[in-house]
Amino acid sequence: MELSIDRVRGGVRLACAASALLSVLSSVGCAGGGAAIVPEVPPTPLTAAEYYPLQTGWRWSYDIEKDGQHILAFYSVVARQGDSATVQAGNDILTYAITPLGVAHRDGNGVGDFLIKDPLSPGAAWTLTEGKAQVLSVGQQVTVEAGTFKNCVVVEETRSEPIRIVRTTFAPGVGPIAVEVSVQDGVRFVTTTKAILRGVTKPGQDPLAM
């Protein structure tokens, strides 16, 4: 990006994701490529961690619109050690924790705010620093630049100082495919940032395709 999805999601620093956000991806195509239709993923059982694959070699590209500017941003998983994954986002290094409950920011040696967390059912919620997150919907079919994705999960984060809403759509075996940040301006919310998945490269594919 730079903007990182963590910066985007925070309006400017929430993950991606999100913080963030991301292995069922053979036919999605390489990052930067045209639209593809992803094979249908069995609706159950899928865990939160399956919605953000963070093995070394995953790469994503995003079209970002922020404050009237358009940016092409790139992310790549550059290291994975145990339950920790390191993502390069422009000049930023982002660290995530992969836990039995889902994917979270790494907070020192501990676990910080979750980007996506089990159970993946509408209305499920968890606490964030200065806010909360909840699952808005599951089982959605969503089309973006990178293709059409089935069985998507939408997570909404609400935070204060400033009051803002970050809505992230996760596709199974892919990660965040859309992020929208809205900030309260008086009595209404104004969308300040959008990030849309342009392409994805899974481990073993030619990274030059990005």
Side-chain angles (χ1 to χ4, degrees):
M1 289 187 180
E2 244 326 23
L3 297 167
S4 70
I5 268 197
D6 272 338
R7 283 176 147 181
V8 170
R9 291 169 55 91
V12 223
R13 186 143 185 104
L14 299 173
C16 208
S19 149
L21 313 163
L22 291 212
S23 295
V24 179
L25 202 53
S26 308
S27 65
V28 170
C30 295
I37 296 179
V38 178
E40 185 169 2
V41 178
T44 57
L46 286 174
T47 66
E50 291 179 273
Y51 279 82
Y52 205 160
L54 287 167
Q55 290 78 26
T56 303
W58 278 98
R59 299 167 183 262
W60 304 268
S61 63
Y62 293 88
D63 289 317
I64 297 179
E65 181 180 347
K66 177 176 172 57
D67 298 330
Q69 295 183 327
H70 295 269
I71 303 167
L72 177 61
F74 298 92
Y75 292 76
S76 60
V77 182
V78 295
R80 173 71 182 265
Q81 294 183 332
D83 64 354
S84 292
T86 302
V87 175
Q88 179 85 41
N91 295 324
D92 282 353
I93 297 294
L94 314 173
T95 306
Y96 298 98
I98 299 88
T99 81
L101 292 177
V103 178
H105 294 286
R106 181 62 78 182
D107 184 6
N109 293 324
V111 176
D113 288 346
F114 276 87
L115 284 73
I116 186 168
K117 184 179 181 182
D118 291 320
L120 295 177
S121 57
W126 58 93
T127 301
L128 303 172
T129 303
E130 298 181 351
K132 71 171 186 177
Q134 66 174 343
V135 177
L136 289 187
S137 64
V138 300
Q140 299 295 309
Q141 178 171 305
V142 179
T143 298
V144 294
E145 178 70 20
T148 297
F149 301 90
K150 297 182 178 181
N151 203 26
C152 295
V153 169
V154 180
V155 174
E156 183 177 89
E157 300 177 4
T158 304
R159 296 184 189 252
S160 57
E161 298 180 7
I163 298 174
R164 60 198 183 275
I165 295 172
V166 181
R167 187 170 295 175
T168 304
T169 302
F170 292 88
V174 180
I177 63 171
V179 181
E180 182 173 295
V181 180
S182 299
V183 178
Q184 189 174 43
D185 182 10
V187 296
R188 64 194 183 101
F189 281 87
V190 177
T191 299
T192 60
T193 307
K194 290 183 178 181
I196 301 296
L197 183 69
R198 180 185 182 91
V200 61
T201 302
K202 72 175 185 177
Q205 289 181 329
D206 182 2
L208 297 179
M210 292 187 71

